[in-house]
Amino acid sequence: MTDEFSVESVYAELLGRAPENKMEPRLAPLFRAMDVLGEPNKAFPIIHVTGTNGKTSTSRMIESVLRAHGLSTGRYTSPHLSKVTERISIDGHPVSDETFVRIWDEIRPYLQIVDSELEAEGQPRLTYFECLTILGFAIFADQPVNVAIIEVGLGGITDATNVGDGQVSVVTPISLDHTDLLGDTTEDIAYEKAGIIKPGGYLISAAQPLDAAQVLLEKAKEVGVPFRFEGVEFGVESRTVAVGGQMVTIQGIAGRYPDLLVPLHGAHQAQNAAVAVAALEAFFGGEKELDFEVLQEGFAAVTSPGRLEVVRTAPTIIVDAAHNPDGIKASAAALQEAFTFTRLVPVVGVLKEKDAEEILRELRESLGDVAVEYCFTQSNSPRAVPAAELAELAIDLGFGEDNVHVAEKLDDALEWAVERAEANEDLSGAVLVTGSITLVAEARILLGKTEA
């Protein structure tokens, strides 16, 4: 039996390579690695998921319904919330420590061959994300899984995951994020994302900005694959708030599914559910309606940790991984629809590569009067914007000096926010932790949520 330390030692070894946000725009070394490993990227059908927001929730929905169909699944997502093994899930659960370490030990000598070749050419060794991606493919091939749901790390064309060819390519809503790497317009970003659309596949896309939709459409036509867009061929017909989530009626590409219970909050999660349904129909051939009971069973089992997740009550503490303006807007709307808090105390931390100004502006606008006092903090990530800097930016944006609190340490921030939420006389105050996935990950661990 492998102990925790072994996973930690592999993780440390991986982190010793180029860090996560330093991804190399290249694919040749990935294909070389797949070649020396016997092409694990071709060992199973793939549903490949890209987009700006909603990738992980959509991936988890697709996975849950495939499992309800009796299929063995692999799911590769990023980043992780509490442990690196969450990124590589087998049948809905993080891969076992033992398998994670065993497969890494098996593939390490082969990766050293690729590293040596890269160094001889004066190129950087395989990066952290590239190695994790190769490990994911190797683990899924070792199982072997019936189908893998692979979430793109960043972009599409040269993302490490693009070493796999999706039988279905799924594009969730595209908006501006990672503009330093992907481009300044949704059209530029769509060019990157369109890189996962391959001959022999099938494109399923959420509703997109017009310029992005055009790029995806042209790419699908160029490689000769069928395409279906939300709002044209499928979508959410209606939805109503329900206990623990919402009732959603979805018009798919092959059938209509009335009153599905989706145990996640917000219009954006209903949209993710519609995209997941269309992707599942496409995976099974695109012509045949899904079995309603199996679909409902799959949706009923869906969880999406860190996405409007209630991690404590009295007062309620909610964590949400929104980390760009569109994500903040969708989460704020869902929060106000699903909960009846009269006072909300946001605890906010943002990473340096994000548009902090727009995130704060959107928070203030979307939450309105329900959030008056804000606590600015920072995660332990070296990429975190210092708390005082965020607070200064908030004051410049008109948040009001008296309403801004700074706490460099997250535990101090939570303590202050809980105190402020409890000061509400009608006991309907709550705390919202948001702005960065690293902050949400740390909050979950602090509040005793070690599983994701």
Side-chain angles (χ1 to χ4, degrees):
M1 179 61 200
T2 306
D3 62 16
E4 172 77 11
F5 177 73
S6 298
V7 168
E8 290 309 311
S9 61
V10 171
Y11 187 42
E13 189 181 331
L14 288 164
L15 286 176
R17 292 170 174 269
E20 180 146 36
N21 61 328
K22 292 280 179 280
M23 297 186 193
E24 287 292 317
R26 60 184 188 181
L27 268 181
L30 271 292
F31 281 110
R32 177 71 180 125
M34 292 296 139
D35 196 34
V36 297
L37 289 170
E39 301 193 311
N41 54 326
K42 295 185 177 170
F44 40 79
I46 291 168
I47 297 175
H48 206 170
V49 184
T50 190
T52 306
N53 288 316
K55 292 189 294 290
T56 301
S57 293
T58 304
S59 296
R60 293 179 76 110
M61 288 177 189
I62 292 169
E63 170 197 48
S64 193
V65 177
L66 289 169
R67 290 185 62 216
H69 277 87
L71 295 172
S72 165
T73 58
R75 171 171 47 84
Y76 181 70
T77 51
S78 60
H80 59 276
L81 288 170
S82 48
K83 192 172 170 183
V84 68
T85 48
E86 289 163 26
R87 293 169 178 248
I88 302 168
S89 288
I90 304 287
D91 294 332
H93 301 284
V95 63
S96 71
D97 289 6
E98 188 204 2
T99 302
F100 185 86
V101 176
R102 174 175 64 82
I103 302 293
W104 176 251
D105 283 341
E106 285 174 15
I107 71 172
R108 184 198 273 114
Y110 297 97
L111 300 192
Q112 283 164 349
I113 295 170
V114 181
D115 280 340
S116 302
E117 292 171 355
L118 286 168
E119 283 170 341
E121 291 165 16
Q123 288 192 48
R125 295 185 304 159
L126 291 165
T127 65
Y128 164 79
F129 188 77
E130 287 172 337
C131 286
L132 262 178
T133 302
I134 296 162
L135 179 59
F137 277 108
I139 286 171
F140 297 155
D142 177 73
Q143 274 297 306
V145 298
N146 299 132
V147 53
I149 305 96
I150 307 278
E151 179 189 315
V152 163
L154 185 71
I157 297 175
T158 55
D159 184 74
T161 64
N162 209 23
V163 76
D165 293 339
Q167 190 172 315
V168 182
S169 299
V170 180
V171 187
T172 66
I174 292 173
S175 62
L176 297 179
D177 200 2
H178 298 290
T179 49
D180 53 332
L181 298 168
L182 301 180
D184 293 329
T185 66
T186 45
E187 181 180 12
D188 289 342
I189 293 173
Y191 275 112
E192 285 287 332
K193 312 276 188 203
I196 71 164
I197 304 167
K198 308 280 182 65
Y202 202 125
L203 168 65
I204 297 294
S205 174
Q208 303 291 1
L210 199 55
D211 58 357
Q214 196 57 41
V215 170
L216 298 174
L217 187 64
E218 281 167 13
K219 177 70 176 187
K221 285 178 173 172
E222 181 196 316
V223 299
V225 301
F227 49 86
R228 302 288 183 270
F229 281 80
E230 180 201 0
V232 183
E233 290 95 357
F234 71 91
V236 176
E237 206 175 278
S238 65
R239 59 181 203 95
T240 53
V241 177
V243 176
Q246 54 191 316
M247 298 295 284
V248 184
T249 294
I250 292 170
Q251 177 60 56
I253 59 177
R256 182 176 176 272
Y257 310 94
D259 300 327
L260 284 162
L261 176 62
V262 177
L264 300 169
H265 303 295
H268 63 298
Q269 293 291 17
Q271 177 183 35
N272 291 338
V275 170
V277 163
L280 288 155
E281 290 174 320
F283 180 73
F284 289 118
E287 306 297 322
K288 199 163 144 273
E289 197 169 329
L290 300 171
D291 180 295
F292 184 85
E293 281 177 21
V294 175
L295 181 60
Q296 182 58 87
E297 183 192 330
F299 272 132
V302 170
T303 58
S304 200
R307 276 76 183 171
L308 283 183
E309 179 187 14
V310 176
V311 289
R312 184 172 286 189
T313 53
T316 301
I317 301 178
I318 294 170
V319 296
D320 187 73
H323 53 276
N324 53 48
D326 279 19
I328 294 281
K329 189 176 187 174
S331 292
L335 192 71
Q336 287 163 311
E337 175 185 270
F339 301 95
T340 53
F341 306 126
T342 53
R343 175 197 294 234
L344 189 66
V345 185
V347 172
V348 185
V350 180
L351 295 182
K352 285 173 186 164
E353 66 267 24
K354 302 295 177 181
D355 189 341
E357 188 174 324
E358 279 307 311
I359 285 173
L360 297 192
R361 194 174 272 131
E362 189 58 68
L363 258 178
R364 188 166 172 232
E365 205 171 295
S366 298
L367 293 175
D369 296 342
V370 74
V372 176
E373 297 175 294
Y374 284 76
C375 183
F376 293 99
T377 188
Q378 61 200 65
S379 67
N380 291 323
S381 169
R383 290 148 52 208
V385 176
E389 219 173 281
L390 270 184
E392 213 170 293
L393 180 59
I395 291 163
D396 288 348
L397 289 170
F399 275 62
E401 223 162 315
D402 296 344
N403 299 328
V404 168
H405 181 77
V406 177
E408 286 182 15
K409 290 191 163 61
L410 180 57
D411 48 359
D412 295 338
L414 287 170
E415 196 178 320
W416 181 85
V418 163
E419 206 173 280
R420 299 312 301 143
E422 283 179 332
N424 220 26
E425 285 168 14
D426 61 4
L427 303 177
S428 63
V431 174
L432 169 68
V433 182
T434 193
S436 116
I437 294 178
T438 57
L439 190 73
V440 163
E442 288 171 26
R444 289 181 88 257
I445 293 166
L446 268 179
L447 295 162
K449 289 273 183 186
T450 51
E451 295 298 310

